[in-house]
Amino acid sequence: MAKIKPSKGAPYARIMGVGGYRPTRVVPNEVILEKIDSSDEWIRSRSGIATRHWASPEETVTAMSVEAAGKAIAEAGISPEQIGGVIVSTVSHFKQTPAVATEIADRITSSKPAAFDISAGCAGFGYGLTLAKGMVVEGSAEYVLVIGVERLSDLTDLEDRATAFLFGDGAGAVVVGPAQQPEIGPTVWGSEGDKSETIKQTVPWTDYRDGTVEKFPAITQEGQAVFRWAVFEMAKVAQQALDAAGISAADLDVFIPHQANMRIIDSMVKTLKLPEHVTVARDVETTGNTSAASIPLAMERLLATGQAKSGDTALVIGFGAGLVYAATVVTLP
């Protein structure tokens, strides 16, 4: 029997750079209220959202990703040609094939990297980060670009009072590369498919194509069920990620949860009993829920504003449609 040569990857992996892109159009709650019976006070009290960004026709999934990726690569201090893998998490790229990652890769580098899309909803960034870490440690790529990008305004039913105010657009990216010590902890991830009806697309694309329905498919959710699950079950997952990394809440500097809802974020902080010194990302107030893009966008803003700094220890957790989730502890770039 022939012996297969072992892979020669890095001992560990780390996030080397982060970048983000928010569309230029800022949409206040007043615009949302033009089509639903609600109020600015109600939206803010239920979600904490005051504004969100919506993309123009020119701000495509690809265009936003390229902008965010360029910033992350520059911050990482490498050349685009060193990128060996591009992983894109999105639910709002409307071509079944080819993967949008291939188009993005072609726009940013000539190195012909591995490129593929994943669909893991609001947990997509965590899934991509875990895959990238594996590629770097295994040795199939030295540097991997992970992008979370959404144009959820394309999938928002502006007449749905329960969800019209929630979603925004944007792209966030990180470069994952080699490290000599652990800087991305073990991932605690999983799925609860028995709850898949709580966040879903209203109808399949084929129903719209065949004329079974006249309204374009949109994202819908059972708000209270999602809230309960996120607060109670995801706090447990977050604690498991801390335990897997061998640290406690007191060791954290930063908490970056998926930016779904301010009430969910505040409740998780309370359930986890995070100390007052821990900086908590609350980017949802001005960016809305950007699904796979929310964690890297929030990470970038914390670093850019000085609320977090290079070397800080951060707990990140994403959760959403599926229902799926992923949590890990990272060192900020």
Side-chain angles (χ1 to χ4, degrees), residues 15 30 33 41 43 95 142 176 184 195 209 222 224 281 292 300 317:
I15 298 175
E30 285 74 19
L33 295 173
E41 181 184 2
I43 292 174
K95 288 184 180 178
E142 186 174 11
V176 177
I184 301 176
K195 300 179 180 65
R209 178 199 66 187
E222 298 175 15
Q224 288 302 314
E300 184 213 32
I317 179 169

Side-chain angles (χ1 to χ4, degrees), residues 27-276:
V27 180
N29 288 337
E30 285 74 19
V31 172
I32 306 298
L33 295 173
E34 292 173 3
K35 293 194 175 183
I36 61 171
D37 180 18
S38 188
S39 68
D40 178 66
E41 181 184 2
W42 188 92
I43 292 174
R44 288 174 186 257
S45 65
R46 296 301 191 279
S47 68
I49 298 172
T51 62
R52 72 284 293 148
H53 295 255
W54 283 354
S56 67
E58 293 76 26
E59 292 169 316
T60 63
V61 165
T62 298
M64 292 191 293
S65 296
V66 169
E67 290 291 329
K71 295 176 184 177
I73 292 169
E75 188 176 286
I78 64 171
S79 73
E81 281 62 46
Q82 291 177 275
I83 297 294
V86 177
I87 303 171
V88 177
S89 178
T90 185
V91 298
S92 46
H93 173 58
F94 291 153
K95 288 184 180 178
Q96 191 69 38
T97 193
V100 72
T102 59
E103 181 182 352
I104 295 166
D106 183 61
R107 292 270 298 272
I108 64 174
T109 179
S110 60
S111 61
K112 300 181 181 179
F116 57 95
D117 297 351
I118 59 174
S119 177
C122 305
F125 176 75
Y127 274 56
L129 184 64
T130 303
L131 294 172
K133 171 187 172 184
M135 292 167 70
V136 171
V137 172
E138 186 269 341
S140 60
E142 186 174 11
Y143 301 102
V144 180
L145 182 65
V146 180
I147 301 170
V149 57
E150 301 293 2
R151 273 182 54 118
L152 294 181
S153 57
D154 291 332
L155 284 169
T156 299
D157 180 354
L158 294 178
E159 297 179 346
D160 179 5
R161 188 173 184 272
T163 62
F165 57 90
L166 287 175
F167 303 118
D169 303 336
V174 300
V175 172
V176 177
Q180 294 305 308
Q181 59 186 15
E183 296 193 37
I184 301 176
T187 300
V188 177
W189 57 354
S191 64
E192 298 185 30
D194 60 314
K195 300 179 180 65
S196 61
E197 292 295 301
T198 56
I199 306 174
K200 64 180 182 179
Q201 183 171 304
T202 49
V203 295
W205 300 114
T206 48
D207 283 6
Y208 182 72
R209 178 199 66 187
D210 297 340
T212 305
V213 296
E214 294 183 0
K215 204 167 189 177
F216 193 74
I219 298 174
T220 186
Q221 69 175 26
E222 298 175 15
Q224 288 302 314
V226 172
F227 180 87
R228 289 192 297 270
W229 176 76
V231 170
F232 297 107
E233 297 305 318
M234 291 307 96
K236 296 176 185 177
V237 171
Q239 183 60 55
Q240 290 170 15
L242 290 173
D243 295 341
I247 67 172
S248 69
D251 298 315
L252 282 178
D253 300 303
V254 184
F255 178 44
I256 311 177
H258 164 49
Q259 301 294 294
N261 179 302
M262 195 75 78
R263 291 172 63 209
I264 290 175
I265 293 170
D266 290 341
S267 295
M268 288 184 71
V269 168
K270 184 177 180 180
T271 302
L272 287 167
K273 299 179 180 178
L274 295 184
E276 288 187 7

